[in-house]
Amino acid sequence: MVITPDIPNLPFIKKNGIKYFELNVEPVKQEILPGLFINAFGYNGSSPGPTIVVNPGDYVQIRVYNKLTEATSVHWHGLDVPNVMDGVPEAEPSPAIQPGSYFDYHFRIINPPGTHMYHSHMHSVKQIMMGLGGALIITDPKGTYIQRDYFIMLQEFKLKGLKKGEVMQGVYDLDPLTDDFNFFTMNGRCFPFTSPLPVRYGESVRIRLGNLMMNAHPIHLHGQQFVVTATDGNSLTLHNRYLKNTILVGSGETYDIEFKAHNPGNWLFHCHIPHHMANNFTENLGGMTTTIRYV
Protein backbone atom coordinates (compact mmCIF):
# COMPACT_ATOMS: atom_id res chain seq x y z
CA MET A 1 0.00 0.00 0.00
CA VAL A 2 1.25 3.46 -0.88
CA ILE A 3 1.56 5.75 2.15
CA THR A 4 1.99 9.51 1.95
CA PRO A 5 3.15 10.47 5.46
CA ASP A 6 0.98 13.23 6.99
CA ILE A 7 -1.36 13.18 3.96
CA PRO A 8 -4.31 10.76 3.52
CA ASN A 9 -5.18 8.70 0.48
CA LEU A 10 -8.34 9.89 -1.25
CA PRO A 11 -11.27 7.52 -0.64
CA PHE A 12 -13.52 6.38 -3.47
CA ILE A 13 -16.78 4.59 -4.09
CA LYS A 14 -16.90 1.89 -6.76
CA LYS A 15 -20.18 1.52 -8.60
CA ASN A 16 -20.93 -0.19 -11.91
CA GLY A 17 -17.22 -0.65 -12.56
CA ILE A 18 -16.35 3.04 -12.05
CA LYS A 19 -14.26 4.46 -9.21
CA TYR A 20 -15.78 7.74 -8.00
CA PHE A 21 -13.55 10.28 -6.25
CA GLU A 22 -14.27 13.82 -4.99
CA LEU A 23 -11.84 16.71 -4.66
CA ASN A 24 -12.66 20.06 -3.04
CA VAL A 25 -10.43 22.91 -4.19
CA GLU A 26 -10.42 25.33 -1.27
CA PRO A 27 -8.43 27.67 0.96
CA VAL A 28 -6.66 25.71 3.70
CA LYS A 29 -4.68 26.51 6.81
CA GLN A 30 -1.72 24.15 6.53
CA GLU A 31 0.34 23.62 9.68
CA ILE A 32 3.95 23.42 8.53
CA LEU A 33 5.48 23.62 12.02
CA PRO A 34 3.76 23.28 15.41
CA GLY A 35 1.50 26.31 15.75
CA LEU A 36 2.78 27.86 12.50
CA PHE A 37 0.15 27.86 9.76
CA ILE A 38 0.06 29.13 6.18
CA ASN A 39 -2.98 30.40 4.32
CA ALA A 40 -2.62 28.15 1.29
CA PHE A 41 -4.77 26.63 -1.42
CA GLY A 42 -5.33 22.89 -1.19
CA TYR A 43 -7.58 19.93 -1.82
CA ASN A 44 -9.83 18.39 0.83
CA GLY A 45 -8.24 20.38 3.62
CA SER A 46 -4.54 19.91 2.93
CA SER A 47 -1.65 21.03 0.77
CA PRO A 48 -0.50 18.87 -0.90
CA GLY A 49 -3.87 17.28 -1.53
CA PRO A 50 -4.75 13.67 -0.79
CA THR A 51 -3.01 10.96 -2.78
CA ILE A 52 -5.15 9.31 -5.45
CA VAL A 53 -4.35 5.61 -5.84
CA VAL A 54 -5.64 3.68 -8.86
CA ASN A 55 -4.83 0.54 -10.85
CA PRO A 56 -4.10 0.07 -14.56
CA GLY A 57 -7.34 -0.26 -16.50
CA ASP A 58 -9.50 1.51 -13.89
CA TYR A 59 -12.21 3.82 -15.16
CA VAL A 60 -12.31 6.81 -12.81
CA GLN A 61 -14.55 9.81 -12.30
CA ILE A 62 -13.09 12.62 -10.21
CA ARG A 63 -15.63 15.31 -9.34
CA VAL A 64 -13.85 18.56 -8.59
CA TYR A 65 -15.73 21.22 -6.61
CA ASN A 66 -14.33 24.74 -6.77
CA LYS A 67 -14.61 26.49 -3.40
CA LEU A 68 -12.17 29.25 -4.31
CA THR A 69 -13.21 32.76 -5.34
CA GLU A 70 -11.54 32.32 -8.74
CA ALA A 71 -11.71 29.79 -11.56
CA THR A 72 -9.51 26.71 -11.41
CA SER A 73 -8.88 23.38 -13.13
CA VAL A 74 -7.06 20.11 -12.52
CA HIS A 75 -4.38 18.74 -14.83
CA TRP A 76 -3.49 15.05 -14.54
CA HIS A 77 0.25 15.45 -14.83
CA GLY A 78 1.86 12.65 -16.86
CA LEU A 79 -1.37 10.77 -17.60
CA ASP A 80 -2.53 9.98 -21.13
CA VAL A 81 -6.11 11.28 -21.04
CA PRO A 82 -8.57 12.66 -23.63
CA ASN A 83 -7.88 16.29 -24.55
CA VAL A 84 -11.08 17.58 -22.93
CA MET A 85 -10.02 15.98 -19.62
CA ASP A 86 -6.48 17.41 -19.55
CA GLY A 87 -7.41 20.46 -17.47
CA VAL A 88 -5.74 23.37 -19.30
CA PRO A 89 -8.64 25.74 -20.15
CA GLU A 90 -6.46 28.52 -21.56
CA ALA A 91 -5.04 26.30 -24.32
CA GLU A 92 -7.24 23.20 -24.64
CA PRO A 93 -10.96 22.34 -24.86
CA SER A 94 -11.03 21.40 -21.16
CA PRO A 95 -13.34 23.77 -19.25
CA ALA A 96 -12.48 26.15 -16.43
CA ILE A 97 -14.29 25.36 -13.19
CA GLN A 98 -15.94 28.54 -11.99
CA PRO A 99 -16.32 29.40 -8.29
CA GLY A 100 -19.21 27.46 -6.78
CA SER A 101 -19.27 24.98 -9.67
CA TYR A 102 -17.90 21.50 -10.30
CA PHE A 103 -16.62 19.43 -13.18
CA ASP A 104 -16.44 15.66 -13.58
CA TYR A 105 -13.12 14.50 -14.99
CA HIS A 106 -13.52 10.94 -16.23
CA PHE A 107 -11.11 8.70 -18.09
CA ARG A 108 -9.62 5.24 -18.16
CA ILE A 109 -6.18 4.64 -16.69
CA ILE A 110 -4.18 3.50 -19.71
CA ASN A 111 -0.70 4.27 -18.34
CA PRO A 112 1.30 1.47 -16.75
CA PRO A 113 2.03 1.47 -13.02
CA GLY A 114 3.93 4.58 -11.95
CA THR A 115 4.08 7.80 -9.97
CA HIS A 116 2.21 10.83 -11.31
CA MET A 117 0.78 14.08 -9.96
CA TYR A 118 -2.21 16.39 -10.29
CA HIS A 119 -2.28 20.17 -10.01
CA SER A 120 -4.06 23.33 -11.07
CA HIS A 121 -3.38 24.51 -14.62
CA MET A 122 -5.42 27.72 -14.28
CA HIS A 123 -3.64 30.86 -13.09
CA SER A 124 -0.72 28.49 -12.60
CA VAL A 125 1.74 31.19 -11.58
CA LYS A 126 -0.40 31.75 -8.49
CA GLN A 127 -2.36 28.58 -7.81
CA ILE A 128 0.48 26.05 -7.97
CA MET A 129 2.66 28.24 -5.77
CA MET A 130 -0.25 28.54 -3.33
CA GLY A 131 -0.07 24.77 -2.93
CA LEU A 132 -2.52 23.24 -5.42
CA GLY A 133 -0.99 19.85 -6.13
CA GLY A 134 -1.06 16.21 -5.10
CA ALA A 135 -0.01 12.71 -6.12
CA LEU A 136 -1.76 10.25 -8.42
CA ILE A 137 -0.20 6.82 -8.22
CA ILE A 138 -0.95 3.87 -10.45
CA THR A 139 -0.12 0.77 -8.45
CA ASP A 140 1.05 -2.57 -9.77
CA PRO A 141 -1.30 -5.31 -8.52
CA LYS A 142 1.48 -7.83 -9.21
CA GLY A 143 4.19 -5.82 -7.47
CA THR A 144 4.62 -7.82 -4.29
CA TYR A 145 8.34 -7.44 -3.52
CA ILE A 146 8.07 -3.94 -1.95
CA GLN A 147 7.29 -3.98 1.78
CA ARG A 148 7.31 -0.18 2.31
CA ASP A 149 6.02 2.24 -0.33
CA TYR A 150 6.12 5.99 0.43
CA PHE A 151 5.35 9.18 -1.52
CA ILE A 152 6.87 12.58 -0.70
CA MET A 153 5.78 15.85 -2.34
CA LEU A 154 8.36 18.64 -2.33
CA GLN A 155 7.04 22.19 -1.91
CA GLU A 156 8.40 25.66 -1.16
CA PHE A 157 6.70 28.81 0.11
CA LYS A 158 7.31 32.45 0.86
CA LEU A 159 5.67 33.41 4.14
CA LYS A 160 4.96 37.11 4.55
CA GLY A 161 5.50 39.03 7.75
CA LEU A 162 8.58 37.22 9.06
CA LYS A 163 12.05 38.68 9.16
CA LYS A 164 14.92 36.44 8.13
CA GLY A 165 15.75 34.16 11.04
CA GLU A 166 12.32 34.45 12.68
CA VAL A 167 10.16 31.38 13.26
CA MET A 168 7.11 32.27 15.32
CA GLN A 169 3.72 30.65 15.80
CA GLY A 170 0.84 32.26 13.97
CA VAL A 171 -1.04 32.25 10.66
CA TYR A 172 0.82 33.68 7.67
CA ASP A 173 -0.19 34.70 4.18
CA LEU A 174 1.86 33.53 1.22
CA ASP A 175 3.46 35.45 -1.62
CA PRO A 176 3.03 33.13 -4.63
CA LEU A 177 4.62 35.60 -7.07
CA THR A 178 8.19 35.44 -5.79
CA ASP A 179 11.05 32.98 -5.95
CA ASP A 180 12.48 34.23 -2.65
CA PHE A 181 11.30 31.26 -0.57
CA ASN A 182 11.86 30.91 3.16
CA PHE A 183 10.15 27.59 4.06
CA PHE A 184 10.62 24.22 2.36
CA THR A 185 8.36 21.25 3.03
CA MET A 186 7.93 17.52 2.58
CA ASN A 187 4.24 16.58 2.42
CA GLY A 188 3.28 19.99 3.77
CA ARG A 189 5.58 20.02 6.81
CA CYS A 190 9.05 21.24 7.76
CA PHE A 191 11.53 19.31 9.87
CA PRO A 192 11.39 18.50 12.76
CA PHE A 193 7.59 18.36 12.21
CA THR A 194 7.90 15.91 9.29
CA SER A 195 7.04 12.30 10.03
CA PRO A 196 9.89 9.76 9.78
CA LEU A 197 9.66 6.88 7.33
CA PRO A 198 9.74 3.64 9.34
CA VAL A 199 11.46 0.58 7.87
CA ARG A 200 12.58 -2.80 9.18
CA TYR A 201 15.88 -4.49 8.54
CA GLY A 202 15.76 -6.59 5.36
CA GLU A 203 12.71 -4.87 3.86
CA SER A 204 12.54 -3.66 0.27
CA VAL A 205 11.66 0.04 0.36
CA ARG A 206 10.37 2.35 -2.36
CA ILE A 207 10.26 6.14 -1.99
CA ARG A 208 8.41 8.11 -4.66
CA LEU A 209 9.37 11.78 -5.02
CA GLY A 210 7.35 14.51 -6.75
CA ASN A 211 7.96 18.20 -7.39
CA LEU A 212 5.54 20.74 -8.90
CA MET A 213 7.14 24.01 -7.84
CA MET A 214 9.95 26.31 -8.94
CA ASN A 215 13.23 24.88 -7.70
CA ALA A 216 14.95 21.59 -8.40
CA HIS A 217 15.85 19.70 -5.23
CA PRO A 218 18.82 17.31 -4.85
CA ILE A 219 17.40 14.76 -2.42
CA HIS A 220 20.09 12.88 -0.52
CA LEU A 221 19.93 9.67 1.55
CA HIS A 222 22.41 9.01 4.35
CA GLY A 223 23.72 5.58 5.31
CA GLN A 224 23.19 3.63 2.10
CA GLN A 225 22.76 3.79 -1.66
CA PHE A 226 19.52 3.55 -3.63
CA VAL A 227 18.59 2.42 -7.13
CA VAL A 228 16.64 4.76 -9.42
CA THR A 229 13.88 2.52 -10.82
CA ALA A 230 11.44 4.94 -12.51
CA THR A 231 11.05 8.52 -13.65
CA ASP A 232 7.91 10.47 -14.62
CA GLY A 233 5.81 7.37 -14.06
CA ASN A 234 7.88 5.27 -16.46
CA SER A 235 9.80 2.26 -15.17
CA LEU A 236 13.43 2.00 -16.19
CA THR A 237 14.53 -1.28 -17.70
CA LEU A 238 16.93 -3.26 -15.51
CA HIS A 239 20.02 -2.34 -17.54
CA ASN A 240 19.09 1.38 -17.39
CA ARG A 241 18.69 1.55 -13.61
CA TYR A 242 21.49 3.25 -11.74
CA LEU A 243 22.90 3.50 -8.25
CA LYS A 244 22.99 6.86 -6.43
CA ASN A 245 22.63 8.51 -3.05
CA THR A 246 21.41 11.90 -4.36
CA ILE A 247 18.73 12.48 -7.00
CA LEU A 248 17.91 15.89 -8.51
CA VAL A 249 14.11 16.23 -8.71
CA GLY A 250 13.26 19.03 -11.14
CA SER A 251 9.98 20.90 -11.44
CA GLY A 252 7.36 18.62 -12.97
CA GLU A 253 9.38 15.46 -12.34
CA THR A 254 8.78 12.33 -10.33
CA TYR A 255 11.33 9.68 -9.42
CA ASP A 256 11.01 6.27 -7.77
CA ILE A 257 13.99 5.10 -5.77
CA GLU A 258 14.39 1.73 -4.05
CA PHE A 259 16.76 0.19 -1.53
CA LYS A 260 17.13 -2.86 0.66
CA ALA A 261 17.14 -1.80 4.32
CA HIS A 262 20.46 -3.19 5.56
CA ASN A 263 22.08 -0.50 7.75
CA PRO A 264 20.10 0.04 10.98
CA GLY A 265 19.87 3.53 12.40
CA ASN A 266 18.05 6.82 12.11
CA TRP A 267 19.19 8.20 8.75
CA LEU A 268 18.68 11.66 7.27
CA PHE A 269 16.79 12.07 3.97
CA HIS A 270 16.80 15.67 2.79
CA CYS A 271 17.32 18.32 0.14
CA HIS A 272 21.03 19.08 -0.03
CA ILE A 273 20.68 22.81 -0.83
CA PRO A 274 21.77 24.39 2.48
CA HIS A 275 19.04 27.06 2.54
CA HIS A 276 16.41 24.38 1.93
CA MET A 277 17.32 22.41 5.07
CA ALA A 278 16.54 25.34 7.36
CA ASN A 279 13.38 27.09 8.54
CA ASN A 280 13.60 30.73 7.43
CA PHE A 281 17.41 30.58 7.49
CA THR A 282 17.67 29.66 11.17
CA GLU A 283 20.70 27.67 12.30
CA ASN A 284 18.91 24.49 13.42
CA LEU A 285 18.18 21.67 10.99
CA GLY A 286 14.76 22.12 9.38
CA GLY A 287 13.06 22.56 6.04
CA MET A 288 12.91 19.82 3.41
CA THR A 289 14.19 17.10 5.71
CA THR A 290 12.95 13.85 7.21
CA THR A 291 14.48 10.60 8.46
CA ILE A 292 14.50 6.92 7.54
CA ARG A 293 13.98 5.24 10.90
CA TYR A 294 14.64 1.55 11.49
CA VAL A 295 12.06 0.06 13.87
Side-chain angles (χ1 to χ4, degrees):
M1 183 178 81
V2 180
I3 295 174
T4 305
D6 304 314
I7 299 294
N9 287 354
L10 186 64
F12 64 87
I13 296 173
K14 189 169 184 179
K15 185 178 179 180
N16 298 325
I18 300 173
K19 289 184 176 179
Y20 292 92
F21 298 85
E22 289 188 358
L23 281 176
N24 295 306
V25 189
E26 57 193 357
V28 301
K29 282 184 169 55
Q30 179 73 30
E31 189 175 22
I32 64 172
L33 285 167
L36 195 160
F37 295 81
I38 57 174
N39 286 319
F41 289 171
Y43 300 96
N44 294 30
S46 70
S47 175
T51 297
I52 300 172
V53 180
V54 296
N55 296 321
D58 282 349
Y59 198 92
V60 301
Q61 177 182 296
I62 305 168
R63 177 165 291 185
V64 178
Y65 294 92
N66 183 5
K67 298 183 178 181
L68 302 176
T69 58
E70 58 189 80
T72 191
S73 69
V74 179
H75 168 60
W76 312 102
H77 187 98
L79 293 185
D80 301 338
V81 299
N83 198 192
V84 73
M85 297 295 157
D86 198 47
V88 192
E90 295 168 295
E92 298 175 346
S94 187
I97 309 172
Q98 298 300 326
S101 299
Y102 69 86
F103 181 71
D104 290 333
Y105 294 94
H106 54 91
F107 45 84
R108 188 170 297 281
I109 303 298
I110 63 174
N111 295 73
T115 304
H116 300 278
M117 299 180 286
Y118 64 92
H119 61 85
S120 170
H121 224 305
M122 185 82 181
H123 306 155
S124 301
V125 67
K126 173 186 177 183
Q127 292 188 7
I128 293 177
M129 299 311 299
M130 287 291 289
L132 281 182
L136 192 152
I137 295 171
I138 306 171
T139 58
D140 184 356
K142 300 177 182 178
T144 57
Y145 69 96
I146 294 291
Q147 281 86 48
R148 305 274 183 168
D149 197 346
Y150 296 110
F151 175 81
I152 294 177
M153 181 70 82
L154 312 175
Q155 292 175 297
E156 55 208 5
F157 301 101
K158 170 64 174 181
L159 277 63
K160 298 179 181 179
L162 285 172
K163 296 178 182 178
K164 187 176 289 188
E166 287 183 336
V167 179
M168 299 185 296
Q169 293 184 348
V171 182
Y172 296 91
D173 290 333
L174 299 177
D175 181 357
L177 305 181
T178 182
D179 56 5
D180 182 22
F181 307 113
N182 54 6
F183 286 84
F184 301 85
T185 63
M186 287 180 161
N187 292 341
R189 295 187 179 190
C190 304
F191 188 83
F193 196 43
T194 52
S195 292
L197 310 182
V199 303
R200 293 186 185 277
Y201 184 86
E203 288 182 330
S204 295
V205 182
R206 176 191 291 131
I207 302 176
R208 306 164 186 263
L209 297 163
N211 178 17
L212 289 170
M213 293 191 148
M214 294 283 289
N215 286 312
H217 298 284
I219 303 299
H220 173 56
L221 175 62
H222 290 212
Q224 61 184 67
Q225 312 302 306
F226 56 75
V227 176
V228 181
T229 59
T231 180
D232 293 344
N234 301 300
S235 294
L236 299 176
T237 57
L238 287 177
H239 68 275
N240 282 322
R241 297 181 178 188
Y242 51 103
L243 196 65
K244 289 183 69 67
N245 57 58
T246 306
I247 185 76
L248 185 65
V249 187
S251 180
E253 289 188 320
T254 70
Y255 281 95
D256 293 4
I257 63 173
E258 297 179 14
F259 61 91
K260 192 84 165 181
H262 70 272
N263 191 6
N266 192 35
W267 297 105
L268 210 62
F269 188 61
H270 66 102
C271 177
H272 211 280
I273 296 175
H275 286 182
H276 298 185
M277 59 177 102
N279 297 325
N280 197 22
F281 309 102
T282 51
E283 291 185 356
N284 293 337
L285 182 64
M288 196 174 280
T289 302
T290 188
T291 56
I292 309 295
R293 181 173 297 174
Y294 282 70
V295 294

mmCIF file with all atom_site columns, all heavy atoms in Angstrom, residues 113-124:
data_model
loop_
_atom_site.group_PDB
_atom_site.id
_atom_site.type_symbol
_atom_site.label_atom_id
_atom_site.label_alt_id
_atom_site.label_comp_id
_atom_site.label_asym_id
_atom_site.label_entity_id
_atom_site.label_seq_id
_atom_site.pdbx_PDB_ins_code
_atom_site.Cartn_x
_atom_site.Cartn_y
_atom_site.Cartn_z
_atom_site.occupancy
_atom_site.B_iso_or_equiv
_atom_site.pdbx_formal_charge
_atom_site.auth_seq_id
_atom_site.auth_comp_id
_atom_site.auth_asym_id
_atom_site.auth_atom_id
_atom_site.pdbx_PDB_model_num
ATOM 1  N N   . PRO A 1 113 ? 1.782  1.039  -14.401 1.00 0.00 ? 113 PRO A N   1
ATOM 2  C CA  . PRO A 1 113 ? 2.028  1.469  -13.020 1.00 0.00 ? 113 PRO A CA  1
ATOM 3  C C   . PRO A 1 113 ? 3.135  2.519  -12.943 1.00 0.00 ? 113 PRO A C   1
ATOM 4  O O   . PRO A 1 113 ? 4.155  2.419  -13.637 1.00 0.00 ? 113 PRO A O   1
ATOM 5  C CB  . PRO A 1 113 ? 2.440  0.172  -12.326 1.00 0.00 ? 113 PRO A CB  1
ATOM 6  C CG  . PRO A 1 113 ? 1.760  -0.902 -13.113 1.00 0.00 ? 113 PRO A CG  1
ATOM 7  C CD  . PRO A 1 113 ? 1.803  -0.430 -14.535 1.00 0.00 ? 113 PRO A CD  1
ATOM 8  N N   . GLY A 1 114 ? 2.924  3.526  -12.091 1.00 0.00 ? 114 GLY A N   1
ATOM 9  C CA  . GLY A 1 114 ? 3.926  4.577  -11.948 1.00 0.00 ? 114 GLY A CA  1
ATOM 10 C C   . GLY A 1 114 ? 3.434  5.719  -11.088 1.00 0.00 ? 114 GLY A C   1
ATOM 11 O O   . GLY A 1 114 ? 2.278  5.758  -10.665 1.00 0.00 ? 114 GLY A O   1
ATOM 12 N N   . THR A 1 115 ? 4.330  6.661  -10.845 1.00 0.00 ? 115 THR A N   1
ATOM 13 C CA  . THR A 1 115 ? 4.085  7.804  -9.968  1.00 0.00 ? 115 THR A CA  1
ATOM 14 C C   . THR A 1 115 ? 3.796  9.040  -10.804 1.00 0.00 ? 115 THR A C   1
ATOM 15 O O   . THR A 1 115 ? 4.629  9.455  -11.616 1.00 0.00 ? 115 THR A O   1
ATOM 16 C CB  . THR A 1 115 ? 5.308  8.054  -9.067  1.00 0.00 ? 115 THR A CB  1
ATOM 17 O OG1 . THR A 1 115 ? 5.608  6.860  -8.345  1.00 0.00 ? 115 THR A OG1 1
ATOM 18 C CG2 . THR A 1 115 ? 5.029  9.188  -8.089  1.00 0.00 ? 115 THR A CG2 1
ATOM 19 N N   . HIS A 1 116 ? 2.622  9.625  -10.598 1.00 0.00 ? 116 HIS A N   1
ATOM 20 C CA  . HIS A 1 116 ? 2.206  10.826 -11.307 1.00 0.00 ? 116 HIS A CA  1
ATOM 21 C C   . HIS A 1 116 ? 1.709  11.867 -10.311 1.00 0.00 ? 116 HIS A C   1
ATOM 22 O O   . HIS A 1 116 ? 1.707  11.630 -9.101  1.00 0.00 ? 116 HIS A O   1
ATOM 23 C CB  . HIS A 1 116 ? 1.117  10.486 -12.329 1.00 0.00 ? 116 HIS A CB  1
ATOM 24 C CG  . HIS A 1 116 ? 1.549  9.491  -13.359 1.00 0.00 ? 116 HIS A CG  1
ATOM 25 N ND1 . HIS A 1 116 ? 2.275  9.836  -14.479 1.00 0.00 ? 116 HIS A ND1 1
ATOM 26 C CD2 . HIS A 1 116 ? 1.383  8.143  -13.423 1.00 0.00 ? 116 HIS A CD2 1
ATOM 27 C CE1 . HIS A 1 116 ? 2.524  8.762  -15.201 1.00 0.00 ? 116 HIS A CE1 1
ATOM 28 N NE2 . HIS A 1 116 ? 1.996  7.713  -14.581 1.00 0.00 ? 116 HIS A NE2 1
ATOM 29 N N   . MET A 1 117 ? 1.253  12.999 -10.830 1.00 0.00 ? 117 MET A N   1
ATOM 30 C CA  . MET A 1 117 ? 0.777  14.078 -9.964  1.00 0.00 ? 117 MET A CA  1
ATOM 31 C C   . MET A 1 117 ? -0.465 14.718 -10.573 1.00 0.00 ? 117 MET A C   1
ATOM 32 O O   . MET A 1 117 ? -0.806 14.461 -11.721 1.00 0.00 ? 117 MET A O   1
ATOM 33 C CB  . MET A 1 117 ? 1.873  15.128 -9.773  1.00 0.00 ? 117 MET A CB  1
ATOM 34 C CG  . MET A 1 117 ? 3.134  14.589 -9.111  1.00 0.00 ? 117 MET A CG  1
ATOM 35 S SD  . MET A 1 117 ? 4.449  15.831 -8.868  1.00 0.00 ? 117 MET A SD  1
ATOM 36 C CE  . MET A 1 117 ? 5.055  16.046 -10.550 1.00 0.00 ? 117 MET A CE  1
ATOM 37 N N   . TYR A 1 118 ? -1.128 15.536 -9.776  1.00 0.00 ? 118 TYR A N   1
ATOM 38 C CA  . TYR A 1 118 ? -2.205 16.390 -10.292 1.00 0.00 ? 118 TYR A CA  1
ATOM 39 C C   . TYR A 1 118 ? -2.013 17.786 -9.721  1.00 0.00 ? 118 TYR A C   1
ATOM 40 O O   . TYR A 1 118 ? -1.454 17.960 -8.632  1.00 0.00 ? 118 TYR A O   1
ATOM 41 C CB  . TYR A 1 118 ? -3.583 15.824 -9.946  1.00 0.00 ? 118 TYR A CB  1
ATOM 42 C CG  . TYR A 1 118 ? -3.927 15.751 -8.466  1.00 0.00 ? 118 TYR A CG  1
ATOM 43 C CD1 . TYR A 1 118 ? -4.586 16.804 -7.828  1.00 0.00 ? 118 TYR A CD1 1
ATOM 44 C CD2 . TYR A 1 118 ? -3.631 14.621 -7.706  1.00 0.00 ? 118 TYR A CD2 1
ATOM 45 C CE1 . TYR A 1 118 ? -4.923 16.737 -6.477  1.00 0.00 ? 118 TYR A CE1 1
ATOM 46 C CE2 . TYR A 1 118 ? -3.958 14.539 -6.361  1.00 0.00 ? 118 TYR A CE2 1
ATOM 47 C CZ  . TYR A 1 118 ? -4.602 15.602 -5.755  1.00 0.00 ? 118 TYR A CZ  1
ATOM 48 O OH  . TYR A 1 118 ? -4.925 15.537 -4.414  1.00 0.00 ? 118 TYR A OH  1
ATOM 49 N N   . HIS A 1 119 ? -2.461 18.802 -10.470 1.00 0.00 ? 119 HIS A N   1
ATOM 50 C CA  . HIS A 1 119 ? -2.284 20.173 -10.010 1.00 0.00 ? 119 HIS A CA  1
ATOM 51 C C   . HIS A 1 119 ? -3.162 21.106 -10.829 1.00 0.00 ? 119 HIS A C   1
ATOM 52 O O   . HIS A 1 119 ? -3.658 20.755 -11.911 1.00 0.00 ? 119 HIS A O   1
ATOM 53 C CB  . HIS A 1 119 ? -0.815 20.606 -10.117 1.00 0.00 ? 119 HIS A CB  1
ATOM 54 C CG  . HIS A 1 119 ? -0.247 20.583 -11.517 1.00 0.00 ? 119 HIS A CG  1
ATOM 55 N ND1 . HIS A 1 119 ? -0.375 21.625 -12.397 1.00 0.00 ? 119 HIS A ND1 1
ATOM 56 C CD2 . HIS A 1 119 ? 0.460  19.625 -12.170 1.00 0.00 ? 119 HIS A CD2 1
ATOM 57 C CE1 . HIS A 1 119 ? 0.234  21.338 -13.529 1.00 0.00 ? 119 HIS A CE1 1
ATOM 58 N NE2 . HIS A 1 119 ? 0.753  20.111 -13.427 1.00 0.00 ? 119 HIS A NE2 1
ATOM 59 N N   . SER A 1 120 ? -3.347 22.306 -10.316 1.00 0.00 ? 120 SER A N   1
ATOM 60 C CA  . SER A 1 120 ? -4.062 23.329 -11.073 1.00 0.00 ? 120 SER A CA  1
ATOM 61 C C   . SER A 1 120 ? -3.273 23.703 -12.322 1.00 0.00 ? 120 SER A C   1
ATOM 62 O O   . SER A 1 120 ? -2.042 23.772 -12.297 1.00 0.00 ? 120 SER A O   1
ATOM 63 C CB  . SER A 1 120 ? -4.255 24.578 -10.204 1.00 0.00 ? 120 SER A CB  1
ATOM 64 O OG  . SER A 1 120 ? -4.738 25.651 -10.991 1.00 0.00 ? 120 SER A OG  1
ATOM 65 N N   . HIS A 1 121 ? -4.003 23.943 -13.423 1.00 0.00 ? 121 HIS A N   1
ATOM 66 C CA  . HIS A 1 121 ? -3.379 24.506 -14.622 1.00 0.00 ? 121 HIS A CA  1
ATOM 67 C C   . HIS A 1 121 ? -4.168 25.733 -15.067 1.00 0.00 ? 121 HIS A C   1
ATOM 68 O O   . HIS A 1 121 ? -4.291 26.025 -16.250 1.00 0.00 ? 121 HIS A O   1
ATOM 69 C CB  . HIS A 1 121 ? -3.299 23.473 -15.744 1.00 0.00 ? 121 HIS A CB  1
ATOM 70 C CG  . HIS A 1 121 ? -1.984 23.475 -16.452 1.00 0.00 ? 121 HIS A CG  1
ATOM 71 N ND1 . HIS A 1 121 ? -1.453 24.608 -17.026 1.00 0.00 ? 121 HIS A ND1 1
ATOM 72 C CD2 . HIS A 1 121 ? -1.067 22.483 -16.670 1.00 0.00 ? 121 HIS A CD2 1
ATOM 73 C CE1 . HIS A 1 121 ? -0.293 24.314 -17.593 1.00 0.00 ? 121 HIS A CE1 1
ATOM 74 N NE2 . HIS A 1 121 ? -0.024 23.034 -17.376 1.00 0.00 ? 121 HIS A NE2 1
ATOM 75 N N   . MET A 1 122 ? -4.689 26.462 -14.058 1.00 0.00 ? 122 MET A N   1
ATOM 76 C CA  . MET A 1 122 ? -5.416 27.716 -14.277 1.00 0.00 ? 122 MET A CA  1
ATOM 77 C C   . MET A 1 122 ? -4.777 28.744 -13.354 1.00 0.00 ? 122 MET A C   1
ATOM 78 O O   . MET A 1 122 ? -4.607 28.470 -12.153 1.00 0.00 ? 122 MET A O   1
ATOM 79 C CB  . MET A 1 122 ? -6.897 27.527 -13.936 1.00 0.00 ? 122 MET A CB  1
ATOM 80 C CG  . MET A 1 122 ? -7.774 28.712 -14.235 1.00 0.00 ? 122 MET A CG  1
ATOM 81 S SD  . MET A 1 122 ? -8.228 28.729 -15.977 1.00 0.00 ? 122 MET A SD  1
ATOM 82 C CE  . MET A 1 122 ? -9.218 30.228 -16.042 1.00 0.00 ? 122 MET A CE  1
ATOM 83 N N   . HIS A 1 123 ? -4.377 29.889 -13.905 1.00 0.00 ? 123 HIS A N   1
ATOM 84 C CA  . HIS A 1 123 ? -3.642 30.859 -13.089 1.00 0.00 ? 123 HIS A CA  1
ATOM 85 C C   . HIS A 1 123 ? -2.470 30.148 -12.398 1.00 0.00 ? 123 HIS A C   1
ATOM 86 O O   . HIS A 1 123 ? -2.234 30.316 -11.195 1.00 0.00 ? 123 HIS A O   1
ATOM 87 C CB  . HIS A 1 123 ? -4.548 31.528 -12.050 1.00 0.00 ? 123 HIS A CB  1
ATOM 88 C CG  . HIS A 1 123 ? -5.778 32.159 -12.621 1.00 0.00 ? 123 HIS A CG  1
ATOM 89 N ND1 . HIS A 1 123 ? -6.921 32.347 -11.882 1.00 0.00 ? 123 HIS A ND1 1
ATOM 90 C CD2 . HIS A 1 123 ? -6.064 32.647 -13.857 1.00 0.00 ? 123 HIS A CD2 1
ATOM 91 C CE1 . HIS A 1 123 ? -7.863 32.913 -12.626 1.00 0.00 ? 123 HIS A CE1 1
ATOM 92 N NE2 . HIS A 1 123 ? -7.352 33.102 -13.834 1.00 0.00 ? 123 HIS A NE2 1
ATOM 93 N N   . SER A 1 124 ? -1.741 29.365 -13.182 1.00 0.00 ? 124 SER A N   1
ATOM 94 C CA  . SER A 1 124 ? -0.722 28.487 -12.603 1.00 0.00 ? 124 SER A CA  1
ATOM 95 C C   . SER A 1 124 ? 0.325  29.240 -11.802 1.00 0.00 ? 124 SER A C   1
ATOM 96 O O   . SER A 1 124 ? 0.800  28.749 -10.766 1.00 0.00 ? 124 SER A O   1
ATOM 97 C CB  . SER A 1 124 ? -0.035 27.687 -13.722 1.00 0.00 ? 124 SER A CB  1
ATOM 98 O OG  . SER A 1 124 ? -0.965 26.913 -14.437 1.00 0.00 ? 124 SER A OG  1
#
